[in-house]
Each structure stands twice: as structure tokens, then as C-alpha cells.
């Protein structure tokens, strides 16, 4: 798709509302949909239009919103101290807007809104040479939306809010999305003329429609193809509904790009995740945060990946949990493995069942296949770490490191008491407790008790009396 560019457009994002129905300490627009806050979605969408500037109107908890967003170069913050209505909110932007052709007004709580829909609105507005253009929709349920009132010729006359509408007006099935494109030259004169004589005693933005008509200006409507896009979040039920729609969109996008997703209704793939070609995601997987998965991987079923990075051809078997770890190509993990932050696996590594790895490097081709804890450790290449090996990295107060060279064989049920290092090609006998450094090569084992054999010994029998 060709890149969009509207250098003569100013965007206003309305985000000052309290979001009372969320019942939250967090401002509404900071609530997350698939790991990304609502304000980030809308800002990303309007930034794709490459407008001249973006003004964000905040009021409730504005400091929190500003801290979250930071300070992009073309973004200005506008404070609306009292939330007197959507018209009043746009009015506050007057001092930060100048020398543009049109102003695009969107709300901060509609993360599903797409850039294609916005460019269709702007292009429609400009093609018709309109002064005021409203984006409209025919949703399955019109409750709560402003209704579009048209005359016999089909020209838009006004927008009537649910609370102000007559019974007949409530039957209208075309509603306002709350999103407008307005010619800059007329916008602020219209806003100065609105009043708050309505059911909510608010300065309604939609009231610019009859005022524009009265002033001999032209008003048009551009219908949107998918009414879901204007879905605004007012409470946590809406939040989960929007998340469901967004999840479907994200999953279908990955499917179109060559990812196989089994039982898509059971997986969660957050907005910041990326997945390579010919990778298969099996049922019940959670791919969270900034997780990146390479090509031809297989993940699941029921694996959880949080901020994880997998190179190509990695197999993550069932019920494995990977958080903040990097995994080299052709590596096998699980089932039931846990990689914690700072785990760095090279290529062709095998990590088996009930193995936990924390802040450790595992070298090329090394295997930790069963029941181990590896923490604060560096393992070289081609090592075999036997079942039940534990790195004792913590003395109750401080953490210590373990260093294992290349081609080392650690026998089963070994404890490596850190700080300790094991030289290249060393072999550690099963059941050892290693409390000092081990040289290269050779066999090292800690004291074992003698194995006795008592011939003729019999197991006790159960007393039958
Ligand atoms: C609004 C529209 C309605 C439209 C609907 C679409 C008005 C009067 N009504 O209704 O026609 O169908 O959106 O969802 O415009 N806001 C501020 N400052 C304020 C008031 C609101 O910044 O003083 C912001 C809110 O944070 C929100 C947006 O404006 O992001 C819309 O406000 P909201 O109260 O949700 O309006 P609706 O009742 O949904
Ligand atoms: Mg709303």
C-alpha cells in the first residue's frame, strides 16, 4: 500500500473523559487491549496518516497519560480541566492549530479504528468539497450513539444524541461514529457558537452540523464499511469485546502472512508479537509482549511465551513457559520446561522436561534433558548435563556463578556448589557434590559410600495373623 501523507491535516484525539464506568485507578485510554494501551492504538493509527500535527486532549489523570505516551515531535498536549462535552474538548485545541486545511477529530477509546477508514473519510470530505463531514455507521445495536437525521433529499440535517432523541429518532439506524473531518477555516467559529442546552448540559460537538447548515456551509456523511471499527470502550465488558475483535484481526493477519494457527479461538497473540513464515502455533498458546518467533518453528500446545525470542526451526513442546529468554535455531524445549529472564540458548540446544534455566548461557549443541535447575551459569558447547543436576547458586544471602567448559559430561544427580568451574572435557560422576573447581578432562566424583551385597537377605513379609 502506498504511504499516506496529509501534511495539511491536524488531528485532535479526544481523551479527557473520566471513563467512570471502567471503575479503575487507571485512566481509560491506558487500559490495554492485547498488551497495548488504547491510546497507543489510536496514536499509531493517526500517525500513519502523517498529518501536520496531533493534539491530544486530556483531563482526567493527564499526567499519567503524558508519561505513558512521552513527547513525539508532532504531538501537542491540550488540557481540558472540566469535561464540559466533546465540543468544548475540541475548542481547547484552538491555540495549538494553525495553517491546515482540515481537522480530523477522533476519540481515544476506539482502538479498532483503521487508517483506511480515516483516509476514506478525509478523501470523501475533500472530494465533495465539504465543510463538515461525519463518519457514520449502521451497527447492530444503535443504543448510546448519536442518530443521523436526514431530510427527504437524504441530506444530513443534524445529529441527535440518544438522551435527546424522540422515539422516532431512536428508530434511526444510521449513527455517528463521533469521528469528523472539518474544514479548519470554519471549525472554531462553529464551536464558539454551540451551547449546552441539552439533556446532558454539555457542549456537544455534533451541534456544529446544524450550525454549519445555518451558515450556508456544506455537511456530508461518509459511511464506514465495518461498524465494529467505531466500537468505543466504556466499561470492562466492552474491553473484552474489543479485545476479541482485535484478536481475530491479529490472528487473521498472521494467517495471511504464512503462519499456521491451530484452534485460533484458544490462543492469545498480543499486538507486539511477531511470527515467521511456516511457523505453527498450536492450541492454547499465549504469545505475550514483545515475543518474536522465527520461521518454521512449532510452539505448543499450551505454551506461554512472554517477551521471548526464538530463532528459526525451534520446537517448543507442550506446557513450556519462556519469559525474557533468547533461543537459538534448531533448539528443542520441553515439554514442561521453564526458561526465565536472561536464559540465552545457542543453536541446537536440547532443554527437556522439568528443567528450569535462569540467567544462564547454554552453548551450541548442549543438552539439559531432565529435571534440572541451572542458574547464573555458563555452559559451553556439546555438554551433557545429566538428569537432576542442580547448580547451587544461592547461599541464602548471595548469588554465585557456575562455569562449565566445552564437551563436559555431568553425571545424574550432581550438585554444583557455586562459585565453581568445570574445565573442558571433564566428566563428573553421578551423585557428586562438587564444591571446588574441576580441572580439564579426567573423571571427578565426590566421596561415595561402599556398595554392599548381602546374599540370602529376604524382604520382610506382611504379618498375616
Ligand atoms: C459521542 C457522540 C455521539 C457518538 C458517539 C460515538 C457527542 C456529544 N456524542 O457520544 O454522537 O455517536 O460519541 O461513540 O459528541 N471527551 C472529552 N471531553 C469531554 C467529553 C468527552 O475529551 O468533555 C472525550 C471522551 O474521553 C471520549 C470522547 O470524547 O474519548 C467521546 O465522549 P463520550 O462521553 O464517550 O461520548 P459518547 O456519549 O460516546
Ligand atoms: Mg463513548
Amino acid at each position: 500500500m502506498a504511504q499516506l501523507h496529509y501534511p495539511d491535516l491536524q488531528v485532535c484525539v479526544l481523551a479527557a473523559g473520566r471513563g467512570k464506568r471502567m471503575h479503575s485507578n487507571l485512566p481509560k485510554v491506558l487500559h490495554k487491549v492485547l498488551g497495548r494501551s488504547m491510546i497507543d492504538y489510536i496514536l499509531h493509527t493517526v500517525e500513519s496518516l502523517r498529518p501536520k500535527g496531533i493534539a491530544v486532549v486530556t483531563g482526567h489523570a493527564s499526567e499519567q497519560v503524558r508519561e505513558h505516551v512521552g513527547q513525539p515531535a508532532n504531538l501537542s498536549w491540550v488540557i481540558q480541566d472540566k469535561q464540559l462535552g466533546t465540543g468544548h474538548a475540541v475548542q481547547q485545541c484552538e491555540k495549538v492549530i494553525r495553517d491546515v486545511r482540515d481537522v480530523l477529530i477522533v476519540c481515544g477509546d476506539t482502538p479498532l479504528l483503521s487508517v483506511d477508514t480515516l483516509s476514506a473519510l478525509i478523501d470523501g470530505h475533500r472530494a465533495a468539497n465539504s465543510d463538515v463531514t461525519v463518519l457514520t455507521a449502521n451497527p447492530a445495536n444503535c443504543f448510546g450513539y448519536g442518530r443521523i437525521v436526514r431530510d427527504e433529499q437524504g441530506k444530513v440535517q443534524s445529529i441527535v444524541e440518544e438522551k435527546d432523541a424522540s422515539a422516532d429518532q431512536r428508530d434511526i439506524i444510521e449513527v455517528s461514529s463521533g469521528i469528523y473531518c472539518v474544514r479548519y477555516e470554519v471549525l472554531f467559529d462553529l464551536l464558539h457558537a454551540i451551547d449546552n442546552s441539552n439533556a446532558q448540559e454539555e457542549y456537544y460537538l455534533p451541534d456544529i452540523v446544524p450550525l454549519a447548515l445555518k451558515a450556508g456551509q456544506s455537511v456530508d456523511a461518509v459511511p464506514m464499511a465495518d461498524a465494529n471499527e467505531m466500537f468505543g470502550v466504556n466499561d470492562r465488558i466492552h474491553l473484552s469485546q474489543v479485545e476479541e475483535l482485535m484478536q481475530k484481526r491479529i490472528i487473521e493477519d498472521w494467517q495471511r502472512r504464512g503462519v499456521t494457527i491451530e484452534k485460533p479461538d484458544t490462543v492469545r497473540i498480543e499486538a507486539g508479537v511477531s511470527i515467521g513464515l511456516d511457523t505453527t502455533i498450536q492450541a492454547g498458546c499465549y504469545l505475550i509482549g514483545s515475543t518474536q518467533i522465527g520461521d518454521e518453528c512449532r510452539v505448543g500446545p499450551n505454551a506461554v511465551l512472554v517477551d521471548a525470542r526464538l530463532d528459526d526451526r525451534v520446537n517448543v513442546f507442550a506446557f513450556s513457559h519462556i519469559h525474557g529468554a533468547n533461543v537459538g535455531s534448531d533448539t528443542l524445549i520441553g515439554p514442561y520446561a521453564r526458561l526465565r529472564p536472561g536464559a540465552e540458548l545457542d543453536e541446537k540446544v536440547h532443554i527437556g522436561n522439568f528443567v528450569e534455566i535462569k540467567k544462564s548461557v547454554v552453548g551450541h549443541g548442549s543438552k539439559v534433558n531432565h529435571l534440572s535447575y541451572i542458574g547464573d551459569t555458563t555452559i559451553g558447547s556439546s555438554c551433557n548435563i545429566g538428569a537432576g543436576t542442580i547448580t547451587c547458586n544461592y547461599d541464602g544471602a548471595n548469588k554465585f556463578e557456575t562455569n562449565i567448559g566445552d564437551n563436559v559430561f555431568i553425571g545424574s544427580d550432581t550438585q554444583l556448589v557455586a562459585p565453581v568451574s568445570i574445565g573442558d572435557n571433564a566428566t563428573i560422576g553421578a551423585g557428586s557434590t562438587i564444591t571446588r573447581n574441576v580441572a580439564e578432562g579426567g573423571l571427578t566424583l565426590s566421596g561415595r559410600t561402599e556398595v554392599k551385597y548381602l546374599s540370602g537377605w529376604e524382604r520382610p513379609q506382611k504379618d498375616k495373623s
Side-chain angles (χ1 to χ4, degrees):
M1 199 182 79
Q3 266 212 339
L4 296 165
H5 194 198
Y6 294 96
D8 49 1
L9 180 79
Q10 169 72 37
V11 180
C12 291
V13 180
L14 307 188
R18 280 194 53 197
K20 218 162 64 183
R21 284 168 283 172
M22 297 298 286
H23 295 286
S24 177
N25 292 324
L26 202 63
K28 178 162 84 173
V29 292
L30 292 189
H31 279 265
K32 286 182 176 172
V33 172
L34 291 171
R36 182 177 285 169
S37 64
M38 291 197 270
I39 189 80
D40 289 347
Y41 280 99
I42 197 78
L43 288 178
H44 178 260
T45 302
V46 298
E47 268 159 17
S48 310
L49 297 167
R50 294 201 290 155
K52 180 173 183 202
I54 300 168
V56 183
V57 185
T58 58
H60 182 72
S62 57
E63 278 311 311
Q64 253 176 294
V65 179
R66 284 166 86 145
E67 198 178 307
H68 173 84
V69 171
Q71 187 54 70
N74 63 346
L75 191 146
S76 38
W77 295 99
V78 174
I79 300 285
Q80 184 194 23
D81 282 325
K82 284 196 183 128
Q83 281 74 65
L84 301 180
T86 48
H88 180 259
V90 179
Q91 217 177 345
Q92 308 312 301
C93 298
E94 186 166 11
K95 48 193 175 295
V96 303
I97 304 178
R98 62 187 62 84
D99 303 331
V100 288
R101 178 170 165 187
D102 297 299
V103 179
L104 175 72
I105 301 156
V106 299
C107 300
D109 59 0
T110 54
L112 291 162
L113 192 63
S114 76
V115 69
D116 290 348
T117 296
L118 290 180
S119 71
L121 169 66
I122 303 160
D123 296 346
H125 167 80
R126 290 182 174 181
N129 203 21
S130 290
D131 293 298
V132 176
T133 307
V134 57
L135 185 67
T136 67
N138 296 298
N141 180 2
C142 295
F143 182 80
Y145 290 106
R147 306 300 202 280
I148 304 292
V149 179
R150 292 177 183 262
D151 65 13
E152 296 82 52
Q153 284 80 48
K155 300 288 286 173
V156 176
Q157 290 299 293
S158 64
I159 300 170
V160 182
E161 294 305 298
E162 177 86 35
K163 287 181 179 150
D164 301 290
S166 65
D168 281 353
Q169 287 169 331
R170 283 187 191 149
D171 288 341
I172 297 171
I173 57 163
E174 185 187 17
V175 307
S176 162
S177 64
I179 297 158
Y180 297 78
C181 190
V182 185
R183 192 192 296 274
Y184 169 62
E185 261 175 40
V186 305
L187 175 64
F188 290 99
D189 286 342
L190 293 171
L191 287 171
H192 288 306
I194 60 177
D195 64 29
N196 66 349
S197 53
N198 52 56
Q200 303 187 80
E201 296 188 336
E202 283 183 6
Y203 294 87
Y204 286 167
L205 177 60
D207 284 356
I208 63 172
V209 168
L211 287 167
L213 293 172
K214 215 169 103 191
Q217 294 156 2
S218 61
V219 175
D220 276 293
V222 167
M224 66 203 294
D226 176 7
N228 282 332
E229 282 193 25
M230 66 163 180
F231 196 156
V233 172
N234 294 321
D235 58 30
R236 294 185 200 237
I237 296 164
H238 293 153
L239 192 68
S240 66
Q241 289 167 340
V242 163
E243 193 160 73
E244 204 172 311
L245 291 163
M246 186 70 84
Q247 186 64 93
K248 195 164 185 309
R249 191 189 278 184
I250 288 174
I251 284 176
E252 288 177 0
D253 188 41
W254 287 118
Q255 288 171 325
R256 280 189 205 100
R257 292 205 240 166
V259 176
T260 295
I261 299 175
E262 298 176 0
K263 296 194 182 296
D265 290 348
T266 66
V267 306
R268 177 181 179 90
I269 302 179
E270 289 196 345
V273 169
S274 74
I275 313 175
L277 204 69
D278 288 324
T279 282
T280 297
I281 306 299
Q282 295 182 284
C285 285
Y286 267 47
L287 309 181
I288 307 297
S290 61
T291 291
Q292 283 174 274
I293 300 176
D295 294 348
E296 296 173 43
C297 292
R298 195 168 188 91
V299 179
N302 298 304
V304 177
L305 274 58
V306 183
D307 301 331
R309 214 196 78 223
L310 311 186
D311 287 349
D312 299 336
R313 299 174 303 281
V314 171
N315 268 287
V316 177
F317 298 107
F319 298 102
S320 294
H321 191 283
I322 305 181
H323 178 194
N326 292 334
V327 178
S329 53
D330 301 293
T331 285
L332 307 179
I333 295 169
Y336 301 100
R338 181 173 183 206
L339 304 184
R340 290 170 52 198
E344 299 276 341
L345 314 190
D346 204 330
E347 296 175 7
K348 297 193 171 151
V349 165
H350 292 188
I351 302 298
N353 41 266
F354 306 107
V355 171
E356 174 181 349
I357 306 223
K358 184 217 85 169
K359 205 176 167 196
S360 293
V361 174
V362 182
H364 188 280
S366 286
K367 297 174 181 168
V368 190
N369 270 331
H370 327 271
L371 300 157
S372 284
Y373 171 68
I374 305 293
D376 305 306
T377 297
T378 301
I379 298 175
S381 60
S382 304
C383 291
N384 194 322
I385 310 298
T389 297
I390 305 291
T391 56
C392 309
N393 61 332
Y394 185 51
D395 64 4
N398 296 298
K399 298 271 170 65
F400 300 96
E401 291 180 3
T402 299
N403 270 291
I404 300 174
D406 295 335
N407 198 34
V408 167
F409 182 98
I410 309 264
S412 299
D413 193 26
T414 291
Q415 300 97 51
L416 301 166
V417 182
V420 69
S421 62
I422 314 290
D424 294 345
N425 303 306
T427 299
I428 308 293
S432 294
T433 302
I434 303 297
T435 53
R436 61 173 173 78
N437 292 346
V438 169
E440 294 185 6
L443 171 67
T444 304
L445 23 84
S446 64
R448 296 178 170 193
T449 51
E450 191 192 339
V451 178
K452 290 180 189 160
Y453 175 66
L454 305 179
S455 68
W457 180 84
E458 282 182 10
R459 286 186 206 160
Q461 301 292 309
K462 203 166 190 164
D463 191 353
K464 293 195 177 102
S465 60

